[in-house]
Amino acid sequence: MDFGIWFLIGAALVFFMQVGFAMVESGFTRAKNAGNIIMKNLMDFSMGTMVFALLGFSIMMSDNYVMGIIGIPNWDIFLDYANLDWASFVFNVVFCATTATIVSGAMAERTKFSSYLIYSIILSMIIYPIEAGWVWNEQGWLYQIGFIDFAGSAAIHTVGGISALIGVKFLGPRIGKYVKDPKTGQIIAKAIPGHNLTIGALGVFILWFGWYGFNGAAATTLDGIGGLGSIFLTTTVAPAAASVTAMFYTWKKNGKPDVSMSLNGALAGLVAITAGCANLDAIGALIVGAIAGILVVVSVEYVDIKLKLDDPVGAFSVHGVNGIWGTLAVGLFSVDGGLFYGGGTDLLIIQLIGIGAICAWTIVTMTIVFAGIKSIHGLRVTVEEEEVGLDFSEHALASSYAGFVLGDVAACDTTSVTTKDIPVVDNSRPGEPITKITIVTKHSSFNKLKVALEEIGINGMTVTQVLGYGIQKGRPEYYRGTPIEATLLQKVKIEIVICKVPVEEAIATIKSTLYTGHIGDGKIFIDSLINVYRISTGEEGYDALQD
């Protein structure tokens, strides 16, 4: 087998993992942000390639390496192209892109696109190349002490996972993710399900497929532990074990096996085996994967519920937590030098030093990066932009699913709704007029309106997803530079029938809740009804409308 050709084929498989990341991230988030996520996955690779060529590659793999810490830039890719190690550049740039794109899913649905580009450029040009050089440049200080990270549990996944957590901390949660429980007064986490689990699952399988190149590309032999065959085996056993333990753990805990967590479990197993894929046997891979499947579930829930950090795809738990676990597991289960294989603690201590240094580097540098971006440029889009969706607000894309009727009755920050200044007065009697109020407004305003109406005693409504436009025919937009003809806009129609609550009070509440001063706030239609019948009891009129 020509392992030089396999090296490049493996690099191509790693590039294909960008597709997997795009599918996982878009599937596990809402439809109104799918285009934005696709754009980020395209640009963190494309812009990352530019800056990695400009500076990152020579910092990471330069022959002139200073004190085992950083390479001296040489720009041979531009000045001495004929003698450049072309395969090494391609191989390393696809790994760099993987590190950058891990953050995309964690910060999804509320990050400025321009801010994400700034982060991606800095990480690809400076932060990743320096620490990756410690691990994989033969002059790097971690390489010199015998630190083992064969394919990147530490250098790639831990760095990406920790960067994601820091970014989420600076960014804050999505609107409506954490709300006040009206019964206890405590802040609780609300689930915001992704819009397409099928696409998310497809992404996981693509990532698993690409991981054979991710872990196996650097193999130089076919046989023996460390050979391509053994690497493929460990890369198969670990994620399989992790998905099984994640399934059974959630089954036991919640009463049903969790689909999305089982998918995350497979990714966690892949991350965990990446450092030691060439050093572990089948038993070691099985144990590492099984533990990873439990760790990812525990970590996702802890980060989401206890720490109240909103990571929509579980990026920190999959990549950060299990990157650390997989790196340390080499010191425990390595066939040559692992603690449980009679090697003592020497390798484990080296692994501890290495992962500790990489974590410290990432925490310090990424804290500076995100703090700087937030203070100078801003990290987060406005409330209105977030509610309408980043596809529209950042890219003028009405929908990533043109031609499909999509409705996202988005979760909103209900704590901001105030209607207490409107008194609730019961001055009605049976036989009073019955009024139907119809509201047409944006999907993103629904939850906010629902809470406001419930506060004045309106607990029943009919909600319909509709399409339409007013006299302005929507805002002019462009596709590939060409003006788009006016299209039907997605709206939500809420119908309520009242008799007990004064009409004026209901109208005032609706107007004060929906008003932003912008086109698209909506319209209110008032109709008088002759009668209402409740089929189940035979009641009519006023009585039929009471709880």
Side-chain angles (χ1 to χ4, degrees):
M1 179 176 180
D2 189 332
F3 279 92
I5 294 176
W6 162 245
F7 185 69
L8 289 173
I9 292 173
L13 288 173
V14 177
F15 169 75
F16 189 56
M17 291 172 69
Q18 288 289 124
V19 179
F21 278 111
M23 296 299 98
V24 169
E25 293 167 15
S26 59
F28 283 9
T29 53
R30 288 171 288 187
K32 63 183 180 179
N33 300 300
N36 174 258
I37 287 172
I38 291 167
M39 192 69 165
K40 290 194 295 184
N41 278 269
L42 173 65
M43 283 299 134
D44 59 33
F45 180 84
S46 299
M47 296 194 70
T49 297
M50 297 295 98
V51 298
F52 193 72
L54 180 66
L55 187 62
F57 179 62
S58 58
I59 286 178
M60 177 180 172
M61 301 305 291
S62 174
D63 292 332
N64 299 313
Y65 216 72
V66 179
M67 300 176 64
I69 296 175
I70 188 171
I72 298 176
N74 52 36
W75 295 286
D76 284 350
I77 191 171
F78 304 112
L79 304 178
D80 191 20
Y81 181 75
N83 295 311
L84 183 74
D85 188 343
W86 309 308
S88 176
F89 173 81
V90 173
F91 182 76
N92 282 291
V93 77
V94 294
F95 277 86
C96 178
T98 299
T99 309
T101 204
I102 289 169
V103 178
S104 171
M107 298 176 66
E109 303 201 287
R110 71 271 201 207
T111 306
K112 285 184 178 180
F113 181 64
S114 56
S115 299
Y116 181 80
L117 295 182
I118 295 170
Y119 140 78
S120 187
I121 288 169
I122 296 172
L123 182 135
S124 301
M125 185 166 59
I126 300 172
I127 294 172
Y128 169 79
I130 291 177
E131 58 85 15
W134 300 347
V135 177
W136 290 318
N137 190 310
E138 292 183 359
Q139 300 176 57
W141 72 275
L142 286 179
Y143 187 98
Q144 292 290 317
I145 68 173
F147 179 70
I148 296 174
D149 186 16
F150 187 79
S153 288
I156 294 172
H157 296 285
T158 300
V159 172
I162 291 176
S163 299
L165 190 70
I166 294 170
V168 166
K169 178 65 176 176
F170 275 98
L171 189 62
R174 290 168 291 174
I175 295 173
K177 175 61 182 177
Y178 298 104
V179 299
K180 184 179 290 186
D181 187 335
K183 296 180 180 178
T184 65
Q186 296 179 334
I187 301 299
I188 59 172
K190 289 185 65 178
I192 304 179
H195 82 282
N196 196 324
L197 190 59
T198 303
I199 285 180
L202 176 63
V204 170
F205 282 112
I206 290 173
L207 286 171
W208 193 334
F209 173 71
W211 228 288
Y212 289 112
F214 197 96
N215 284 357
T220 57
T221 182
L222 185 62
D223 302 318
I225 294 178
L228 185 59
S230 177
I231 291 172
F232 267 48
L233 186 149
T234 56
T235 304
T236 303
V237 169
S243 62
V244 169
T245 55
M247 177 189 71
F248 278 115
Y249 184 75
T250 56
W251 202 338
K252 175 69 174 177
K253 183 176 181 295
N254 304 323
K256 297 287 179 65
D258 190 298
V259 179
S260 65
M261 279 297 193
S262 299
L263 292 168
N264 266 0
L267 296 180
L270 288 162
V271 169
I273 199 59
T274 295
C277 60
N279 300 82
L280 273 61
D281 59 15
I283 295 175
L286 180 68
I287 296 171
V288 168
I291 293 174
I294 303 297
L295 280 176
V296 70
V297 178
V298 173
S299 177
V300 164
E301 293 182 355
Y302 183 77
V303 169
D304 189 50
I305 298 171
K306 298 297 183 182
L307 297 183
K308 292 182 172 55
L309 296 174
D310 184 14
D311 180 353
V313 301
F316 170 71
S317 301
V318 169
H319 300 276
V321 171
N322 283 287
I324 294 170
W325 158 237
T327 304
L328 297 178
V330 176
L332 300 174
F333 299 104
S334 176
V335 173
D336 182 14
L339 177 64
F340 297 145
Y341 285 74
T345 60
D346 290 351
L347 180 57
L348 180 59
I349 291 171
I350 291 172
Q351 296 300 106
L352 280 165
I353 292 171
I355 195 64
I358 289 172
C359 287
W361 167 257
T362 308
I363 291 169
V364 171
T365 55
M366 292 311 301
T367 298
I368 293 171
V369 167
F370 281 120
I373 295 173
K374 184 174 183 178
S375 62
I376 298 171
H377 182 72
L379 268 176
R380 187 163 184 151
V381 298
T382 65
V383 171
E384 183 182 11
E385 289 170 335
E386 182 177 346
E387 289 182 344
V388 76
L390 302 192
D391 284 4
F392 184 79
S393 62
E394 291 276 49
H395 308 288
L397 186 66
S399 171
S400 294
Y401 299 88
F404 291 85
V405 177
L406 296 175
D408 180 16
V409 183
C412 297
D413 185 1
T414 58
T415 58
S416 65
V417 179
T418 303
T419 57
K420 293 181 180 178
D421 56 329
I422 303 174
V424 178
V425 180
D426 183 4
N427 58 1
S428 59
R429 299 181 305 276
E432 285 194 346
I434 302 168
T435 303
K436 177 183 177 182
I437 302 177
T438 302
I439 309 110
V440 178
T441 188
K442 298 176 291 187
H443 285 85
S444 56
S445 300
F446 170 72
N447 271 6
K448 187 164 57 174
L449 179 62
K450 175 176 174 288
V451 171
L453 292 175
E454 287 176 348
E455 289 188 6
I456 63 170
I458 299 174
N459 297 310
M461 61 187 67
T462 301
V463 182
T464 311
Q465 298 174 18
V466 295
L467 297 173
Y469 62 77
I471 192 169
Q472 78 280 359
K473 296 187 178 180
R475 304 178 187 177
E477 299 297 349
Y478 299 86
Y479 178 72
R480 297 182 181 272
T482 303
I484 300 173
E485 292 294 327
T487 57
L488 295 173
L489 303 178
Q490 297 180 23
K491 298 286 184 177
V492 61
K493 181 169 72 173
I494 304 107
E495 297 172 291
I496 58 177
V497 178
I498 60 174
C499 183
K500 181 177 180 180
V501 176
V503 175
E504 296 79 7
E505 181 182 351
I507 298 300
T509 301
I510 295 166
K511 289 171 65 176
S512 64
T513 303
L514 296 181
Y515 178 78
T516 66
H518 298 286
I519 293 174
D521 282 349
K523 290 184 173 65
I524 304 170
F525 304 90
I526 312 296
D527 295 292
S528 295
L529 301 183
I530 297 174
N531 206 349
V532 175
Y533 295 90
R534 177 177 288 179
I535 297 172
S536 61
T537 63
E539 295 170 306
E540 60 180 279
Y542 175 91
D543 294 333
L545 294 174
Q546 309 313 306
D547 294 334

